[in-house]
Amino acid sequence: MSHHITDHELIEKIKKGDQASFTILVNRHKNYALTIAKRIVLVQEDAEEIAHDAFVKAYTSLGSFKYESKFTTWFYRIVVNMAISRGRKKKLDVIEISEGHSDFVGDSGTAELDTKDRNYYLNLAISRLSQDDRLIITLYYLDELDMEEVAAISGFDKNNLKVKLHRARKRLGEILKVIMPTELESVVH
């Protein structure tokens, strides 16, 4: 039943004091909120705190929610702002990775990575991008949001977002070339 009710309907119930509706809303959006926060701050524990705090802030701010946009756009903007704020307060160590690629070579002498490994190295490459680039790549490619939603959540000008996305994708490609050049070459050709 909870899948058939819209976020806007849940918000109306929450405003009338229905705590169960807030639980449904949290369960519906917690994984995505955590993903966005983690892409920005890179630390699981910090991302969990940010997601929790964002839900608390959203709950206390539901009175200011305007039904002109999706709840997700409004809420994920809260997550992004909180994560960026946390990131400014805390310096992150950059993970250095070895340039040796012998682990990637299978018995046949060619690079072989399974889906799990590819995802690992893709996430590692994404983690090496700037905060803005990680956010844009995550929202557009991994979460498959349209440009308008990415602009609303990220706060970037919609007209400039395509350029930022193109540059972020290019930087991601350069990082992937360093991390896994043989595998990347086999995927491209």
Side-chain angles (χ1 to χ4, degrees):
M1 181 175 122
S2 66
H3 295 288
H4 295 99
I5 190 166
T6 68
D7 288 346
H8 288 183
E9 291 169 333
L10 287 172
I11 291 168
E12 283 304 312
K13 288 183 173 197
I14 295 165
K15 287 180 177 181
K16 293 176 183 171
D18 183 356
Q19 295 298 314
S21 291
F22 185 67
T23 301
I24 293 169
L25 198 65
V26 168
N27 287 333
R28 189 177 283 178
H29 300 292
K30 67 183 175 186
N31 291 336
Y32 190 54
L34 185 59
T35 298
I36 291 173
K38 188 170 181 203
R39 287 282 186 222
I40 295 172
V41 298
L42 302 176
V43 177
Q44 180 70 26
E45 293 78 17
D46 290 344
E48 289 169 0
E49 281 183 38
I50 290 164
H52 176 268
D53 293 348
F55 276 112
V56 170
K57 182 170 181 147
Y59 181 79
T60 59
S61 302
L62 277 179
S64 68
F65 174 69
K66 294 180 175 49
Y67 294 89
E68 299 163 355
S69 65
K70 291 181 182 179
F71 168 76
T72 53
T73 302
W74 178 78
F75 174 64
Y76 297 141
R77 185 70 199 148
I78 293 172
V79 175
V80 166
N81 287 341
M82 293 182 97
I84 289 172
S85 178
R86 172 77 58 97
R88 286 182 185 141
K89 293 177 186 175
K90 187 176 184 178
K91 286 279 187 184
L92 298 175
D93 295 329
V94 176
I95 300 171
E96 292 298 324
I97 59 171
S98 168
E99 292 195 26
H101 302 287
S102 59
D103 295 345
F104 303 146
V105 180
D107 294 335
S108 65
T110 60
E112 297 174 0
L113 289 179
D114 63 20
T115 303
K116 183 178 175 185
D117 289 336
R118 285 178 196 226
N119 288 340
Y120 170 79
Y121 288 107
L122 178 60
N123 285 324
L124 181 61
I126 291 171
S127 75
R128 298 189 73 189
L129 292 170
S130 72
Q131 195 173 48
D132 289 346
D133 288 351
R134 285 192 310 264
L135 178 62
I136 293 168
I137 293 288
T138 299
L139 295 175
Y140 187 75
Y141 288 107
L142 303 180
D143 299 323
E144 300 178 351
L145 298 179
D146 63 35
M147 287 296 230
E148 194 167 304
E149 289 174 301
V150 174
I153 292 169
S154 68
F156 296 124
D157 177 69
K158 195 167 88 173
N159 297 326
N160 193 23
L161 186 58
K162 286 183 182 179
V163 174
K164 285 182 168 294
L165 182 61
H166 174 74
R167 290 178 180 160
R169 186 175 55 229
K170 196 171 182 181
R171 284 187 282 271
L172 180 61
E174 293 301 315
I175 293 168
L176 285 169
K177 283 179 189 175
V178 171
I179 293 175
M180 44 192 270
T182 308
E183 177 65 19
L184 189 60
E185 193 172 301
S186 70
V187 170
V188 173
H189 298 329

